[in-house]
Amino acid sequence: MPHLKIRGMAKEPIIKNSKELIDGLTNIVKCDRTWFTIEHIETEYIFDGKIIDGYTFVELFWFERTPEVKKEVANFITKFIKNINGNKDCCVIFFPMKGENYCDNGEFF
């Protein structure tokens, strides 16, 4: 944990750059890189009866960090995604988790 869910962009750039993404986040968050997961969610945006290009969303599920770390993570992810996704807009949404709601192999944090 942290878990990143990315939608609204192609999967290939995420795969190709996943090591760099995790390395950068590890430096900011200061946790073991093996705790990170990245999930690509296939998305189609629909408007006025057509499939359209959509916004890139990165959802980050994590145990809350300081506001300074959160801002640094948001800036890093935004710049990183824009760089690998043709400078398209990017929204980062944080989902703070509590240990009592996170159970891994039967053990709560």
Side-chain angles (χ1 to χ4, degrees):
M1 213 301 261
H3 306 294
L4 289 94
K5 296 183 179 193
I6 304 171
R7 58 186 163 95
M9 68 176 286
K11 176 174 30 178
E12 292 74 22
I14 299 167
I15 295 169
K16 181 179 177 184
N17 296 282
S18 61
K19 182 181 183 321
E20 183 182 347
L21 175 59
I22 297 303
D23 287 346
L25 290 171
T26 298
N27 287 333
I28 299 167
V29 176
K30 307 294 187 215
C31 71
D32 191 294
R33 68 184 326 280
T34 63
W35 295 359
F36 285 89
T37 62
I38 302 173
E39 178 181 349
H40 174 263
I41 301 171
E42 218 37 69
T43 303
E44 290 184 326
Y45 292 96
I46 301 166
F47 185 75
D48 285 345
K50 298 177 189 172
I51 295 175
I52 61 167
D53 282 339
Y55 218 80
T56 301
F57 287 91
V58 179
E59 299 173 354
L60 179 57
F61 294 79
W62 70 344
F63 295 130
E64 190 75 47
R65 271 50 176 211
T66 66
E68 295 79 19
V69 169
K70 187 176 187 178
K71 179 69 173 162
E72 191 173 351
V73 166
N75 288 337
F76 174 80
I77 290 174
T78 300
K79 289 176 187 173
F80 188 89
I81 293 296
K82 287 174 80 80
N83 184 51
I84 68 170
N85 196 32
N87 206 35
K88 292 182 180 177
D89 290 336
C90 176
C91 178
V92 180
I93 305 170
F94 291 87
F95 292 90
M97 301 175 70
K98 295 181 179 180
E100 66 263 19
N101 295 328
Y102 188 90
C103 183
D104 186 21
N105 291 317
E107 298 293 325
F108 287 90
F109 279 64

